[in-house]
Amino acid sequence: MPPTPSAAWKYFTRSSDKKSATCNLCGVNLTYIQAGTTSNLLNHINNKHPSSASSNDAGDSKKQSSMSSFLSTPKKVCFRK
């Protein structure tokens, strides 16, 4: 089964050389590795355009939790004696 396209492509347009992408919201050009990840693109959206990211991805049930919400959520710890 082929991999699912990144949510980053909702906000970016790939360059013809496939080494960079342009943000559709502000026009900034960011590099990415085609065979790598789009983490830097998603980080740009989350940091520079948080209202766009949260409103457009609200219906995406596959959205991964942010690291800050993961770390701030209390966890139950069970110790055995």
Side-chain angles (χ1 to χ4, degrees), residues 16-34:
S16 58
D17 65 1
K18 298 193 176 179
K19 293 182 181 180
S20 64
T22 302
C23 177
N24 298 331
L25 300 173
C26 68
V28 72
N29 194 22
L30 299 172
T31 58
Y32 78 98
I33 301 169
Q34 182 182 5

Side-chain angles (χ1 to χ4, degrees), residues 4 7-8 10 15 27 41 48 50 52 54 56 58-59 68 70-71 73 78:
T4 305
K10 294 178 188 177
S15 65
L41 305 180
K48 302 296 181 184
S52 294
S54 61
N56 288 336
S68 59
F70 175 76
L71 294 173
T73 305
C78 180

Side-chain angles (χ1 to χ4, degrees), residues 13-77:
T13 302
R14 289 180 177 107
S15 65
S16 58
D17 65 1
K18 298 193 176 179
K19 293 182 181 180
S20 64
T22 302
C23 177
N24 298 331
L25 300 173
C26 68
V28 72
N29 194 22
L30 299 172
T31 58
Y32 78 98
I33 301 169
Q34 182 182 5
T37 66
T38 54
S39 297
N40 61 331
L41 305 180
L42 292 170
N43 287 336
H44 170 80
I45 295 299
N46 288 328
N47 293 325
K48 302 296 181 184
H49 311 291
S51 60
S52 294
S54 61
S55 64
N56 288 336
D57 291 336
D60 188 357
S61 61
K62 295 181 183 177
K63 184 176 179 187
Q64 183 176 357
S65 300
S66 69
M67 184 58 83
S68 59
S69 67
F70 175 76
L71 294 173
S72 64
T73 305
K75 307 288 186 248
K76 289 184 178 180
V77 179

